[in-house]
Amino acid sequence: MHTSLMIQGTTSDAGKSILVAALCRILCRRGVAVAPFKPQNMALNSAVTSQQGEIGRAQALQAQAARIDPHTDMNPVLLKPSSDTRAQVIIHGQIAQDMEAVDYHHYKTRAMTAVMASWQRLKTRYDAVMIEGAGSPAEINLRDRDIANMGFAEAADVPVILIADIDRGGVFAQLTGTLALLSPSEQKRVKGFVINQFRGDMSLLMPGIHWLEKHTSKPVLGVLPYLHGLQLDAEDGIDLAQPESEQALFTVVVPVLPRIANHTDFDPLRAHPQVNLIFVGPDQPIPAADLILIPGSKNVRADTRWLKKTNWPKAIARHLRYGGKVMGICGGYQMLGEVIHDPNGIEDHAGSTEGLGLLPVATHLMADKTLRNVSGNLWAGQGRVSGYEIHCGISKYTAPAKPMIFLDDCRSDGCVSEDGLIAGTYLHGLFDSAAALTALLAWAGLANAQAIDRAALREQAIDRLADCVEQHLDLPTLFPRWWQK
């Protein structure tokens, strides 16, 4: 027997990703062999699997919740936008091609073949598969050739529950409106609703729930409370509401690039009690900082030009004059160099763009993407580090330079400036290791930094989430095979 359940949302960020993660952990704790699955994901936060393939960061988190290794079958189609109309299409973890949105719409028929192949393999290997939709199934302009929501649910014949975020407002309109825009067969496939992010008195919500159930003939299967301070890897968006820690001694500032990628690299800094992490959006003032971090980017040349059009170069120069530290990760490392060449138009129109000129590095963007998990030692023996590489560029020194990391496979990575104020690396996940985080904060100026274990914090957050969902969701109705009323 096989059990599948698809979580679809009334909007983006309705809670699909975290609910799938919670269900994976709940079933795993019951001894069920469970795996996550997202047919199509559009996100710039990604992870590398042991098969050297690329999947969405959220599916890697969900795999951890299920206590299994991430696999490319868990996210067979990944779209990584490089502009408002163009994206890199990744199939089974590898680049297929770059496409305009209109062209991809016609390509979906081929992509669906990859989706169903992965789905069949997961069904064979696991007792249960928890499936995450994308965006909303009510996006009627995208219904034709849909592979992300009801198009997949109908093809795979799986039940669906709809989740809506009450914190956004209009939750009953979200649910009834979404249901009304589905076809009769799709409406029948929806087995019930989940209301997410509720805070308040349940007695005030109950009249609305009773009306919703009567109006739609669908049950509300759970009302999930708002979980304050829950820190889990975001699928794509950045939470800019970041309250300062009362213990914060050290300020880290990150520019929100137009095509920022893998901003989850900085989650350990967000969680650190001594660190005040500030994401600075467009047109926001750049505050004084101890460390400036330049993040990854899906369009590094365009984002370099964007940085130059803002006050960032002047802010960085002033920051360095006062002895502050600067670090770039992946695309940010490339931006800190002297030049970025893209002769084949891999991410942008063909051409070259001058970098910020802070590191003696020149980068050539290439069609083949580097995907690998790595580990090594920070320069000057400052500590062990592990992470993963996801990049299309090769960076070479233009002058004798000091590597930032000496990798275990006898390669070196990154660069440190001669004065020791600037560093760059290709490694994502750099701060996840407690030893590496402490060493890098010490380099940046925070002496005696408190050691935090990101992996342990992530496990605690997953368990906290799972405990909450187990308490507030009607699991016997959803999974009668493993629960009895």
Side-chain angles (χ1 to χ4, degrees):
M1 293 179 63
H2 174 81
T3 298
S4 300
L5 180 66
M6 188 170 193
I7 311 300
Q8 297 185 18
T10 56
T11 62
S12 296
D13 295 323
K16 300 182 293 291
S17 295
I18 63 168
L19 182 53
V20 167
L23 292 174
C24 284
R25 177 53 57 92
I26 290 167
L27 291 172
C28 176
R29 295 194 299 206
R30 287 253 168 169
V32 179
V34 58
F37 181 61
K38 183 158 186 170
Q40 174 188 286
N41 194 353
M42 179 178 284
L44 290 177
N45 291 340
S46 57
V48 177
T49 70
S50 58
Q51 307 87 37
Q52 309 303 313
E54 189 176 4
I55 64 172
R57 185 77 224 165
Q59 281 61 67
L61 173 73
Q62 292 160 355
Q64 180 176 343
R67 296 197 173 105
I68 56 178
D69 290 334
H71 193 283
T72 52
D73 277 340
M74 296 172 187
N75 179 202
V77 180
L78 175 62
L79 307 177
K80 302 190 75 173
S82 55
S83 73
D84 290 343
T85 61
R86 188 173 180 84
Q88 185 180 77
V89 180
I90 296 170
I91 304 292
H92 289 149
Q94 303 298 322
I95 297 175
Q97 55 185 299
D98 281 56
M99 292 186 191
E100 295 292 333
V102 173
D103 296 327
Y104 178 70
H105 183 67
H106 297 289
Y107 182 82
K108 285 181 183 178
T109 303
R110 291 177 60 187
M112 186 62 153
T113 302
V115 166
M116 296 309 293
S118 289
W119 163 245
Q120 292 298 331
R121 286 192 289 266
L122 290 178
K123 279 180 61 179
T124 301
R125 290 187 60 190
Y126 295 95
D127 297 328
V129 178
M130 298 296 104
I131 309 157
E132 179 186 344
S136 165
E139 293 166 347
I140 54 178
N141 56 309
L142 300 177
R143 294 288 297 276
D144 182 36
R145 300 183 179 91
D146 171 52
I147 68 174
N149 290 300
M150 284 297 180
F152 170 79
E154 296 270 72
D157 191 22
V158 295
V160 172
I161 61 174
L162 283 177
I163 185 170
D165 182 356
I166 196 172
D167 204 46
R168 293 170 177 262
V171 70
F172 300 112
Q174 291 180 48
L175 290 166
T176 54
T178 299
L179 192 68
L181 288 173
L182 302 180
S183 70
S185 65
E186 293 167 348
Q187 291 176 352
K188 186 177 180 181
R189 192 168 295 283
V190 175
K191 303 307 177 186
F193 307 122
V194 172
I195 295 174
N196 189 29
Q197 301 259 65
F198 177 72
R199 38 186 165 184
D201 190 327
M202 274 296 295
S203 65
L204 298 177
L205 185 64
M206 290 310 299
I209 289 177
H210 293 151
W211 175 90
L212 179 66
E213 292 182 328
K214 182 178 180 181
H215 182 78
T216 64
S217 300
K218 307 282 186 185
V220 174
L221 298 165
V223 177
L224 307 181
Y226 190 101
L227 291 179
H228 293 273
L230 184 70
Q231 294 188 4
L232 287 171
D233 307 56
E235 182 171 56
D236 202 41
I238 300 176
D239 180 7
L240 296 178
Q242 300 156 90
E244 291 190 25
S245 167
E246 294 181 359
Q247 305 175 49
L249 305 170
F250 192 82
T251 299
V252 179
V253 168
V254 181
V256 180
L257 306 172
R259 294 296 168 189
I260 187 171
N262 280 66
H263 62 75
T264 49
D265 285 337
F266 311 122
D267 285 354
L269 295 168
R270 185 197 292 267
H272 200 290
Q274 295 169 284
V275 173
N276 178 28
L277 177 69
I278 302 173
F279 283 103
V280 179
D283 301 321
Q284 290 183 324
I286 303 170
D290 298 287
L291 172 65
I292 292 177
L293 285 170
I294 311 298
S297 166
K298 188 62 191 71
N299 193 326
V300 67
R301 290 175 58 220
D303 280 351
T304 301
R305 294 192 294 268
W306 179 85
L307 277 175
K308 291 179 178 180
K309 290 178 181 178
T310 67
N311 290 323
W312 279 100
K314 290 182 180 178
I316 291 171
R318 182 174 61 250
H319 173 77
L320 290 170
R321 283 199 302 271
Y322 285 95
K325 303 294 175 63
V326 175
M327 181 185 294
I329 296 179
C330 197
Y333 169 41
Q334 296 171 346
M335 293 181 205
L336 291 177
E338 296 174 352
V339 65
I340 303 148
H341 299 294
D342 188 3
N344 299 313
I346 301 301
E347 291 185 347
D348 205 331
H349 60 272
S352 298
T353 299
E354 289 187 6
L356 299 180
L358 298 176
L359 289 174
V361 169
T363 297
H364 285 75
L365 300 184
M366 306 176 71
D368 292 337
K369 182 180 284 193
T370 298
L371 298 166
R372 57 189 165 210
N373 295 292
V374 296
S375 58
N377 294 294
L378 292 168
W379 81 100
Q382 293 184 44
R384 291 287 294 171
V385 64
S386 60
Y388 53 98
E389 294 182 58
I390 304 176
H391 55 92
C392 289
I394 293 179
S395 299
K396 295 184 177 181
Y397 300 147
T398 58
K402 178 168 54 180
M404 180 176 168
I405 299 170
F406 296 93
L407 298 172
D408 292 344
D409 59 8
C410 298
R411 294 182 301 116
S412 61
D413 172 82
C415 181
V416 179
S417 64
E418 188 175 352
D419 60 12
L421 297 178
I422 307 162
T425 176
Y426 272 118
L427 266 66
H428 296 289
L430 183 70
F431 300 112
D432 282 6
S433 159
L437 176 58
T438 301
L440 290 169
L441 286 175
W443 163 74
L446 180 59
N448 303 314
Q450 179 179 330
I452 65 167
D453 187 335
R454 175 59 182 161
L457 290 175
R458 189 182 284 117
E459 277 294 307
Q460 291 169 12
I462 292 172
D463 279 330
R464 178 188 173 202
L465 174 65
D467 290 343
C468 174
V469 172
E470 191 162 10
Q471 179 182 352
H472 294 279
L473 195 63
D474 186 357
L475 295 170
T477 294
L478 291 175
F479 306 113
R481 180 180 173 188
W482 296 296
W483 273 268
Q484 293 184 358
K485 289 189 176 181

